[in-house]
Amino acid sequence: MKENSNPKNSGSQEKSLLDNTIPKITIICSAPDLASQNIKTHLLNLMEWKLLELPENSGFSAARESQDGRFRLVDIEEMHVFQDGLDRRLESAGLPASLIIFASKHRSKEEVSSLTVHCTGNPSDDARLGGCPKSLAVSSPAAMKSILMEMKRLAEQKGLKYDVTLEVTHHGPTELSVPSLYAEIGSTEVQWKDPEAGEVAAKAILAVSLEKVPVAIGFGGGHYAMRQTGLLFETSISFGHNFPKYKLEFLDEALIRQAIEKSKADFAYFDRKSMKSEERKKISEILEKLGLSVFKESEIREKYGY
């Protein structure tokens, strides 16, 4: 583990305290989450980190800053999904974030080996897994695109048999004013503890880019948003919030407005074959009222294809 917890002199100590007031990309690792701990191990080995002093009762187990000053790594004892208000707690501890990346496990019944990225929110009244009903977090489409593309590149380079995919918007936390995303390893304990998957996820997180890209919000498709994932990989666009076909019935103008604003969306995309005609009509009318165009896949590929 590359870590330095002893500043050489009071001058560097003062600089360290000053650095703490600058918002930084903040990676959150959860103690009970095996994939999170796997990713953390690789993050600590991939670059030098200095241990930061936390105020009493901060609620955080530990905090570190990368030697290059770009990242903070913060440990929590709870699960990620219940971290509403985390951005405010970080700020109170003198650790303001510009972007929050939750390093996490992904669980699925299919037990598929996967590397996934998604933003958070509850499109319906169901908020059992954190967050508030009918509420969306602020997304970071540029960060999601860069991390997912790097996951894919590194997994292919290693010959890792993992599906690399964008997931739809789901679970908490939702009450964050700072952009956030989940970077995950799925879907069972075997993959959560896989050191190769942990290394790929950690390297992809450290390669995150915030360079502006054209942004869509997506409607339709399944949980793994296969068509949206294809467009993300094969064109210059990214996605903010995505709503699968089984959540479309819950969407109303207020939620779609949230999705547009919290994704800073330039246009919308429909996975048309997976949507009922009445759903397409209803959502199209809302988008038109809100001034957002719907682009077909062919139009996106023509305009934004590599």
Side-chain angles (χ1 to χ4, degrees):
M1 180 171 74
K2 301 176 182 176
E3 186 167 285
N4 171 22
S5 58
N6 298 309
K8 290 179 182 175
N9 54 49
S10 60
S12 62
Q13 217 164 15
E14 193 176 317
K15 182 178 183 296
S16 177
L17 288 169
L18 184 66
D19 286 350
N20 283 358
T21 64
I22 301 167
K24 301 205 171 157
I25 297 169
T26 302
I27 306 159
I28 305 295
C29 291
S30 164
D33 184 319
L34 293 176
S36 195
Q37 292 305 300
N38 180 9
I39 295 167
K40 174 187 164 183
T41 297
H42 290 280
L43 289 168
L44 291 174
N45 286 329
L46 284 165
M47 61 165 59
E48 301 259 347
W49 299 82
K50 57 186 176 186
L51 204 56
L52 301 174
E53 197 174 326
L54 287 167
E56 203 174 335
N57 303 319
S58 69
F60 303 117
S61 311
R64 298 168 177 84
E65 187 172 300
S66 61
Q67 206 65 35
D68 64 4
R70 190 170 183 228
F71 297 93
R72 290 196 190 100
L73 178 58
V74 177
D75 293 341
I76 59 173
E77 295 300 316
E78 311 82 18
M79 294 303 289
H80 298 103
V81 294
F82 301 110
Q83 294 303 307
D84 286 297
L86 175 68
D87 51 337
R88 295 190 297 278
R89 294 201 302 278
L90 286 166
E91 192 157 1
S92 296
L95 305 170
S98 56
L99 169 69
I100 295 172
I101 299 173
F102 295 102
S104 176
K105 68 182 179 187
H106 168 68
R107 190 196 297 272
S108 79
K109 292 175 187 171
E110 292 78 20
E111 301 189 356
V112 175
S113 299
S114 60
L115 292 158
T116 71
V117 168
H118 72 89
C119 48
T120 61
N122 294 315
S124 69
D125 289 327
D126 180 6
R128 286 171 297 172
L129 292 175
C132 293
K134 306 281 277 186
S135 183
L136 308 175
V138 180
S139 71
S140 183
M144 289 202 297
K145 181 181 179 76
S146 66
I147 291 173
L148 202 66
M149 290 188 76
E150 188 66 1
M151 282 176 164
K152 183 177 171 65
R153 187 186 74 80
L154 291 168
E156 287 174 352
Q157 191 179 76
K158 279 180 170 285
L160 216 53
K161 302 298 182 190
Y162 276 64
D163 289 348
V164 183
T165 182
L166 182 68
E167 288 183 90
V168 294
T169 297
H170 63 299
H171 69 59
T174 59
E175 306 315 293
L176 300 170
S177 54
V178 168
S180 64
L181 65 97
Y182 269 66
E184 302 179 331
I185 300 172
S187 302
T188 72
E189 189 171 328
V190 173
Q191 290 84 25
W192 300 338
K193 294 165 75 173
D194 179 357
E196 290 206 291
E199 183 184 17
V200 166
K203 283 184 171 178
I205 287 169
L206 294 178
V208 65
S209 168
L210 302 179
E211 189 175 338
K212 188 169 168 53
V213 293
V215 176
I217 51 171
F219 299 88
H223 181 83
Y224 294 102
M226 300 311 294
R227 289 186 179 276
Q228 289 93 318
T229 300
L231 286 167
L232 184 149
F233 283 144
E234 295 159 20
T235 73
S236 62
I237 77 158
S238 186
F239 282 85
H241 284 287
N242 267 295
F243 303 107
K245 59 187 177 185
Y246 53 86
K247 291 290 185 183
L248 297 181
E249 64 181 292
F250 303 111
L251 302 188
D252 55 21
E253 184 178 327
L255 197 79
I256 292 172
R257 185 188 296 276
Q258 260 196 85
I260 294 168
E261 291 173 353
K262 291 180 175 178
S263 305
K264 294 187 176 174
D266 299 301
F267 57 92
Y269 165 75
F270 289 173
D271 182 345
R272 291 173 183 274
K273 289 182 181 176
S274 72
M275 298 171 71
K276 297 173 184 171
S277 59
E278 59 268 27
E279 289 170 342
R280 285 200 306 268
K281 183 174 184 296
K282 173 189 145 187
I283 295 167
S284 293
E285 286 172 355
I286 292 171
L287 289 168
E288 187 177 355
K289 182 179 176 182
L290 297 175
L292 202 72
S293 301
V294 180
F295 287 4
K296 293 178 180 175
E297 183 169 332
S298 57
E299 292 172 318
I300 293 171
R301 291 186 181 280
E302 187 179 339
K303 188 169 183 177
Y304 299 109
Y306 289 127

